[in-house]
Amino acid sequence: MPNPPTRYNEQAIQRLVDWNSDVMVRLLKQVVAKRVAYGQETWDVEPVLEQEEGKLVLDEVAEVIDLPMFKYYRTSPNPDAVVLPEAAEKQLRDYVAAVSNAYHDNPYHCLQHASQVTTALTKLLSRVVATSLDELDTELGEEYGTDDDSLEDVQVTDNMAAMLHHHTFGIASDPLTQFGLVFAALIHAVDHQGVSNKDELKVNPEAAAPYGNRSMVEQRSINKAWKKLMEPEFKELRRCLYKDEVELKRFRQVVVNAVLATDIDDAELQNLRMTRWEKTFSSGVRMTGRDTLKDVNRKATIVIEQLMQAAHIIHTMQPWIVYDKWSRRHFLEMHIAFKGENSASDPSASWLKSEMDFFDNYAIPLAMQLKDCDAFVVNQDEFLNYVLKNRQQLSSLGEELLKSMIEQAKKDDKVEEQTGSDHLIFNPETRMLDNLHNDGKVSRHLQHLIDWNVEILGMAVKRIVAKNNATGDTGNKERIDLELDLTVKIVDEVADVIAFPDFDASTAPAMLDTSAELDVVITSQLREFVTDIATRFKSNPFHCLDRGTQICMSAKKLLGRLMTKTPEESSEDIYSKSFGIASDPLAQLAVVFAALIIDVDHQGIPNSQHVFENSYLADKFKNRCISQQHALDICWGHFMHGEFDELRASIFSTASELKRFRQIVVNCILATDLEDDELVHFRKKRWDKAFIAGRRDESVENRNRRATILLEMIAQSADMFHATQNWHLYTKWNERHFSEMYKVYQDKRLKQDPTIFWYKSELLFFDEHAIPLANQLKECGCFGNTSEEYLSWALANRQQWAAKGNELVASIVARHLGKQIEKQRSVRFHRRVSLSAKQA
């Protein structure tokens, strides 16, 4: 596999390689775990797939992929307990690196795109609603007449098979299929030339001939990636991956079907898929006792392809900011192809119409099919809503967007002519936040973050408006103020119990209509408020707007898990499970509001340093929760300005609602100070009272106490999001945090060099905060698989930091010092140039 030249930042490439490797290592562990649990041995003599001479990859597309029948075990295999052979894991990481290096530096079809598709597919798979096998213990015991925990393998057929495979058609119970899907996502655009199949056929017919003049890009990607995988250096990886020819064949079929499913321009393939869908799902998605094994596998095959297709165009099913970003990249790639005479189609003339057709004929129908598989993807409504909304926005903003893309392409062309260099591809990994503004104008990066946060807060406001509409409350028409006692510090406002509304079936989340757009005045004021807040963040490496946005997103994700409803659950079940939060849009808005503002105007130093320096802020807030109180003090005062009267009127109907909103915001923000001994003791005592001593206490007061704790835990978890995500994300933000502290040390405001204590302090952070919090998220039982995922990541990151932390600290310091030296050299160079110019 050739290594085409790339202009990506090397560190950015390595981060993407590490991220994709971590994802695939976890999936490979699941493959091995299942094999170990079933007592299956892998091969000594490697199985081989016989390939017919002259047969194209395209000819391998299967109408039905045979997935394994269900085998029941009371004790599910634990992938986290699996230790892969060292050689196999190393080979997997080497393979991912080789695939990554085989991507060209295209604006769109590049390593970043492949990583985005891989991430999307991983998330889609994580949303699989798997059947709980424990619930079947009684039925299986009655069916087979045994209570023995060593129950023999059971091949479940007829009605039992329909029940077990009800949601996933067998995909959830086959980790090899899941690995094959993610593998396909990673390799689907290997060696992509930045030219479509249609244009490549015209420009280079000789190269297209070996692929039958169809799906050249996709077939070439599979051939190159598969050939690389079959090289001798990856033998131990393959030994872990499949145990016999049957599994090898299934793995290959999943990869082929998934990658070829991304070619949506091949009429023959599209017709095949459409005919199969109509034939298979004409009687509905649900399986019945009449479904044969082939029927089930055909449905699984369709869903496998749909998952890949959805991941491939995930930018259309995300907020407008994401769609806008990747549309610009795609347009630029088409512009480069046209300018280089590799395409006869000028995107300036054809892009908008083709994009509208793409939504109407592909993206929207696909999102609707995902919705039809409602038991498979938890958030299928979210995808359909976004794709419809993006289509609507494209209809109204498309001309403006196209004009902007054309202007940017012209600027890039001019730069190329002046410098003689190739196009510089926008790479978010290399963008720094030192300059949020450019000549008084908001930068594109800042605008993206503002748009993103407006989207999150806007959805929460919509839910409040929808609830008011459902109850006949049209909102408050008069200005509501909250009289604050200025002698009471914010930290003293922290409440033991916050009251939450009782259950009302008419205002349950499933009953609210949030499709209506907010009034333009409200939207305008919300955007203005978020913009004002965004510009109050300082450009610290860690406590910055980037992190504030990540915290807000993490809080939204956890709230989404609270509100997730399975088909078996009622609205009242969701209310009870979330202790009332799922039915309280005001509380949901308060949490994401608090998440966004936590780091506003952060000075880049810890609270302890404020106290040591006896700063103005330390004196103002009496040496407690200084950064947190300062952020809330600034933002609340701004939020209560008259310019936001209409926004507040749409949210609060009474003074008591405004008071409750502030109470939740105060509790959530102050909960992120993990060093204030008084608050830490207070929270521990309340947890014991609510969830341990009050385990059987179902009183309204204890329900409200649990809800209060839950909201604070969401804020805390969002604030330390990097510790409970993958290793790549953890190390990225850990390095940012270290850099911020190291700068304080270099400025002689910190007595001890963080290099000395950073390794140990991170271990303590995991042991005393991140891991205990993840355990509490799991114990409260409100977040489903997300809590287990967070705990798993926290434990894995702690383990890796214990092994690699000292080396990483050393490398961070080396990079930091290297950047300082380069910066000093650059300053000296510019000074010399300036002096020379003056003398001339």
Side-chain angles (χ1 to χ4, degrees):
M1 187 181 297
N3 295 339
T6 178
R7 293 183 298 280
Y8 278 110
N9 178 284
E10 289 185 7
Q11 292 181 18
I13 291 177
Q14 190 57 52
R15 281 195 286 265
L16 292 176
V17 169
D18 290 343
W19 157 251
N20 289 306
S21 297
D22 288 344
V23 168
M24 299 190 78
V25 164
R26 287 173 65 83
L27 285 170
L28 186 60
K29 283 185 176 182
Q30 293 177 27
V31 173
V32 174
K34 183 174 182 181
R35 187 175 300 133
V36 170
Y38 293 170
Q40 297 170 338
E41 298 293 333
T42 190
W43 46 266
D44 292 321
V45 178
E46 182 171 7
V48 178
L49 282 180
E50 296 295 334
Q51 300 285 342
E52 296 180 22
E53 188 174 348
K55 185 177 182 180
L56 303 177
V57 174
L58 189 66
D59 298 329
E60 297 182 52
V61 174
E63 182 185 0
V64 178
I65 300 174
D66 293 328
L67 268 62
M69 297 181 69
F70 183 78
K71 293 186 177 182
Y72 174 73
Y73 282 87
R74 289 175 184 268
T75 304
S76 301
N78 180 14
D80 293 330
V82 172
V83 178
L84 293 177
E86 185 176 344
E89 182 170 344
K90 181 180 183 304
Q91 287 176 16
L92 177 55
R93 294 182 183 279
D94 289 345
Y95 181 78
V96 173
V99 167
S100 300
N101 287 330
Y103 273 89
H104 291 276
D105 196 14
N106 303 312
Y108 184 82
H109 291 100
C110 57
L111 178 57
Q112 272 189 303
H113 167 68
S115 300
Q116 185 203 36
V117 176
T118 303
T119 302
L121 192 46
T122 305
K123 288 183 178 179
L124 285 167
L125 285 172
S126 72
R127 290 175 175 179
V128 168
V129 185
T131 305
S132 175
L133 304 184
D134 293 335
E135 296 174 2
L136 301 175
D137 278 355
T138 304
E139 295 177 62
L140 286 171
E142 292 173 356
E143 180 78 16
Y144 295 96
T146 177
D147 292 323
D148 186 0
D149 282 341
S150 61
L151 184 68
E152 296 295 326
D153 293 4
V154 178
Q155 290 191 333
V156 186
T157 57
D158 300 330
N159 291 332
M160 188 63 74
M163 179 165 56
L164 288 171
H165 289 256
H166 178 76
H167 294 296
T168 66
F169 314 117
I171 296 173
S173 56
D174 185 26
L176 181 61
T177 294
Q178 297 172 37
F179 186 94
L181 266 168
V182 175
F183 179 92
L186 178 64
I187 63 105
H188 82 278
V190 160
D191 199 31
H192 197 293
Q193 309 293 315
V195 181
S196 68
N197 282 323
K198 179 181 177 182
D199 289 327
E200 192 166 338
L201 179 59
K202 292 179 180 178
V203 174
N204 194 3
E206 295 81 7
Y211 300 106
N213 296 329
R214 293 175 58 197
S215 306
M216 293 81 72
V217 171
E218 294 76 17
Q219 292 189 77
R220 182 171 60 224
S221 297
I222 294 174
N223 277 343
K224 295 199 171 190
W226 191 265
K227 181 180 179 182
K228 187 68 177 178
L229 180 64
M230 291 299 122
E231 290 181 358
E233 60 187 287
F234 300 112
K235 182 177 180 179
E236 297 308 315
L237 166 59
R238 298 195 299 273
R239 193 191 300 275
C240 286
L241 193 52
Y242 47 84
K243 65 179 178 63
D244 53 30
E245 186 178 343
V246 173
E247 289 194 343
L248 173 58
K249 181 181 179 181
R250 182 165 80 254
F251 174 64
R252 167 86 179 183
Q253 283 185 331
V254 170
V255 172
V256 168
N257 273 48
V259 174
L260 268 296
T262 64
D263 183 358
I264 62 174
D265 294 322
D266 188 290
E268 191 173 330
L269 282 177
Q270 276 292 77
N271 185 58
L272 170 67
R273 287 190 286 263
M274 184 58 66
T275 302
R276 185 174 51 183
W277 168 271
E278 292 175 354
K279 174 183 177 182
T280 306
F281 288 114
S282 59
S283 59
V285 175
R286 306 294 185 201
M287 287 185 292
T288 70
R290 295 187 298 274
D291 279 339
T292 65
L293 183 59
K294 187 173 183 179
D295 292 330
V296 175
N297 286 337
R298 183 181 289 108
K299 291 179 179 180
T301 305
I302 292 172
V303 173
I304 284 170
E305 294 176 351
Q306 288 181 335
L307 283 173
M308 182 67 182
Q309 290 174 329
H312 188 238
I313 62 164
I314 196 65
H315 64 290
T316 67
M317 302 179 185
Q318 296 294 299
W320 175 259
I321 176 179
V322 179
Y323 171 73
D324 175 271
K325 168 187 171 181
W326 286 99
S327 291
R328 291 177 182 275
R329 283 176 171 248
H330 199 193
F331 178 89
L332 180 57
E333 184 169 294
M334 292 190 292
H335 172 77
I336 294 172
F338 174 70
K339 186 185 175 190
E341 299 182 354
N342 290 320
S343 172
S345 178
D346 182 356
S348 301
S350 61
W351 180 83
L352 184 55
K353 183 181 184 304
S354 65
E355 199 69 3
M356 298 283 278
D357 290 342
F358 172 74
F359 270 103
D360 293 339
N361 300 323
Y362 183 67
I364 294 174
L366 176 61
M368 292 178 71
Q369 287 181 338
L370 285 174
K371 181 174 172 61
D372 288 342
C373 298
D374 61 341
F376 190 83
V377 181
V378 174
N379 287 14
Q380 72 280 357
D381 284 331
E382 174 188 322
F383 297 137
L384 181 57
N385 289 340
Y386 272 129
V387 78
L388 290 172
K389 185 174 181 180
N390 286 335
R391 168 60 171 82
Q392 182 181 15
Q393 287 197 258
L394 183 65
S395 179
S396 59
L397 303 177
E399 294 286 353
E400 181 182 340
L401 176 60
L402 178 59
K403 182 180 178 182
S404 171
M405 293 192 295
I406 293 172
E407 289 176 355
Q408 185 60 50
K410 289 179 179 178
K411 289 179 182 179
D412 290 345
D413 291 342
K414 189 173 181 180
V415 170
E416 181 181 350
E417 291 171 2
Q418 292 175 347
T419 63
S421 62
D422 293 333
H423 285 266
L424 297 176
I425 307 307
F426 170 66
N427 184 1
E429 295 288 350
T430 61
R431 178 179 289 276
M432 298 300 292
L433 282 178
D434 294 332
N435 245 336
L436 288 180
H437 293 77
N438 182 18
D439 297 330
K441 296 181 180 179
V442 177
S443 71
R444 181 187 294 181
H445 181 69
L446 176 58
Q447 190 59 60
H448 281 335
L449 296 181
I450 290 171
D451 290 344
W452 189 275
N453 289 301
V454 169
E455 183 88 27
I456 293 174
L457 268 66
M459 269 309 303
V461 174
K462 277 186 178 182
R463 284 192 285 269
I464 293 175
V465 173
K467 182 174 182 178
N468 290 339
N469 291 337
T471 58
D473 187 346
T474 57
N476 172 63
K477 302 301 181 183
E478 298 180 1
R479 176 184 171 89
I480 297 176
D481 284 315
L482 186 63
E483 294 295 332
L484 298 176
D485 187 347
L486 300 181
T487 64
V488 177
K489 297 303 175 188
I490 295 174
V491 69
D492 296 324
E493 294 183 49
V494 175
D496 178 28
V497 179
I498 300 173
F500 292 83
D502 294 330
F503 176 72
D504 181 354
S506 66
T507 59
M511 302 299 294
L512 299 182
D513 179 12
T514 59
S515 60
E517 293 296 323
L518 292 173
D519 182 86
V520 66
V521 175
I522 297 171
T523 303
S524 176
Q525 291 185 7
L526 178 60
R527 178 171 294 278
E528 186 65 26
F529 175 75
V530 172
T531 301
D532 292 346
I533 292 302
T535 57
R536 293 300 299 264
F537 280 86
K538 294 188 180 298
S539 55
N540 302 311
F542 185 74
H543 293 98
C544 58
L545 179 58
D546 266 4
R547 180 173 182 270
T549 304
Q550 289 275 8
I551 296 172
C552 195
M553 290 164 54
S554 298
K556 173 184 175 291
K557 175 183 176 181
L558 286 168
L559 284 171
R561 293 301 301 152
L562 272 184
M563 299 164 66
T564 298
K565 177 178 174 295
T566 65
E568 293 78 19
E569 291 179 316
S570 66
S571 295
E572 192 165 3
D573 291 334
I574 297 299
Y575 177 89
S576 299
K577 184 178 74 172
S578 66
F579 310 118
I581 297 173
S583 298
D584 186 6
L586 185 68
Q588 297 160 27
L589 174 63
V591 173
V592 292
F593 181 96
L596 175 62
I597 70 172
I598 284 172
D599 288 336
V600 165
D601 202 40
H602 197 287
Q603 306 297 305
I605 60 175
N607 287 332
S608 58
Q609 188 63 24
H610 277 289
V611 175
F612 178 78
E613 295 177 0
N614 194 25
S615 68
Y616 159 74
L617 291 177
D619 180 63
K620 179 179 180 180
F621 297 112
K622 305 304 180 188
N623 297 335
R624 294 187 63 195
C625 307
I626 298 162
S627 296
Q628 291 81 4
Q629 293 192 78
H630 177 55
L632 180 53
D633 192 39
I634 290 175
C635 297
W636 187 263
H638 192 59
F639 184 55
M640 296 305 294
H641 280 179
E643 60 188 296
F644 304 117
D645 281 351
E646 286 78 13
L647 171 61
R648 293 197 308 279
S650 69
I651 300 172
F652 313 113
S653 298
T654 63
S656 62
E657 287 186 348
L658 177 59
K659 182 178 180 180
R660 189 164 69 89
F661 179 83
R662 177 176 170 91
Q663 191 66 76
I664 295 171
V665 172
V666 167
N667 272 45
C668 287
I669 290 183
L670 273 294
T672 63
D673 186 346
L674 305 177
E675 307 301 329
D676 187 291
D677 291 338
E678 190 173 331
L679 283 179
V680 169
H681 177 71
F682 167 75
R683 287 192 294 265
K684 184 181 185 306
K685 184 178 179 182
R686 186 177 52 182
W687 168 271
D688 293 343
K689 184 177 182 180
F691 286 100
I692 299 178
R695 193 179 302 278
R696 299 181 182 279
D697 184 355
E698 300 301 329
S699 66
V700 172
E701 182 184 14
N702 202 47
R703 182 202 70 194
N704 288 337
R705 182 178 291 107
R706 289 174 173 177
T708 304
I709 293 171
L710 212 60
L711 290 178
E712 293 178 358
M713 287 166 54
I714 289 174
Q716 290 174 329
S717 181
D719 188 52
M720 60 178 78
F721 67 91
H722 63 294
T724 54
Q725 297 297 310
N726 62 81
W727 175 251
H728 151 65
L729 197 65
Y730 166 69
T731 52
K732 170 186 173 180
W733 285 98
N734 179 45
E735 180 171 345
R736 282 192 173 208
H737 199 187
F738 178 88
S739 298
E740 186 170 294
M741 291 293 289
Y742 197 75
K743 184 179 183 301
V744 177
Y745 170 71
Q746 287 185 315
D747 292 342
K748 298 182 179 179
R749 299 179 67 187
L750 196 65
K751 282 190 173 182
Q752 192 176 19
D753 184 348
T755 308
I756 298 172
F757 63 79
W758 198 257
Y759 172 75
K760 185 177 179 181
S761 68
E762 282 297 290
L763 288 178
L764 289 174
F765 167 71
F766 276 112
D767 293 340
E768 296 179 1
H769 301 300
I771 294 174
L773 177 61
N775 270 312
Q776 286 183 333
L777 287 173
K778 183 177 178 180
E779 287 173 21
C780 70
C782 302
F783 299 98
N785 293 334
T786 301
S787 57
E788 295 181 2
E789 176 187 324
Y790 281 15
L791 178 58
S792 176
W793 280 123
L795 292 170
N797 288 336
R798 200 275 185 199
Q799 183 180 15
Q800 290 209 62
W801 180 259
K804 306 175 183 177
N806 275 323
E807 295 177 7
L808 287 174
V809 171
S811 66
I812 292 171
V813 174
R815 283 197 299 276
H816 184 83
L817 294 176
K819 289 177 182 177
Q820 291 293 104
I821 293 171
E822 287 301 317
K823 185 176 181 180
Q824 291 169 4
R825 287 176 179 172
S826 176
V827 170
R828 287 197 297 269
F829 172 76
H830 284 293
R831 283 177 180 170
R832 287 198 298 271
V833 171
S834 299
L835 288 172
S836 299
K838 288 179 180 179
Q839 291 171 357

